[in-house]
Amino acid sequence: MTQRHRLATRRRHETIAMEHEGQRYKVGLGREVLCDGSCGATAMRFGPIAEVFFNAQKVNSPIDVLVSDSAILMSMLLQYGCPPADIFHAMKRNPDGSPASPLGRAAAFLVEVGHD
């Protein structure tokens, strides 16, 4: 079994807004800081996206719970070394090839922006 990469305490976090089938979501993406505390802000580097947070517009609604739990699973897949493209390709699609779920849209975003 592959070892899970445990994330450092200090991470970069960015938030994006996303819409899927008329519903709005917030997606948080976490990357590790790759330099030690001695490098300056200009020398700071960030690792690949290693965690995903996902929230629906209405907190604690059934869809919010589902996307949040799904994001935890996606984060664990990333931390075990699964490439975002593999995650994206495993998800359901609409007949036109677009992602069928909000999490599928988030996985597509990871592939589009480049994981590393």
Side-chain angles (χ1 to χ4, degrees):
M1 175 182 255
T2 304
Q3 196 80 349
R4 178 179 175 201
H5 174 72
R6 297 260 177 204
L7 302 179
T9 304
R10 186 180 159 138
R11 297 187 287 279
R12 176 182 180 207
H13 185 84
E14 57 190 281
T15 305
I16 60 167
M18 187 185 81
E19 190 171 316
H20 183 79
E21 294 186 4
Q23 298 291 319
R24 291 186 291 195
Y25 301 91
K26 287 188 181 172
V27 181
L29 305 170
R31 297 175 186 257
E32 287 187 285
V33 177
L34 294 179
C35 77
D36 58 17
S38 64
C39 72
T42 57
M44 200 171 285
R45 296 179 303 118
F46 302 102
I49 294 169
E51 64 183 348
V52 179
F53 299 94
F54 215 112
N55 292 99
Q57 187 173 1
K58 187 172 180 185
V59 177
N60 291 327
S61 65
I63 190 66
D64 182 59
V65 171
L66 285 172
V67 297
S68 181
D69 283 352
S70 298
I72 291 168
L73 294 174
M74 182 184 276
S75 295
M76 291 184 75
L77 284 168
L78 293 170
Q79 291 165 24
Y80 274 99
C82 185
D86 290 357
I87 297 169
F88 172 69
H89 290 298
M91 294 188 168
K92 286 191 161 211
R93 294 208 189 3
N94 294 319
D96 67 359
S98 64
S101 70
L103 199 69
R105 289 231 352 156
F109 179 79
L110 292 182
V111 172
E112 288 171 21
V113 299
H115 179 59
D116 296 323

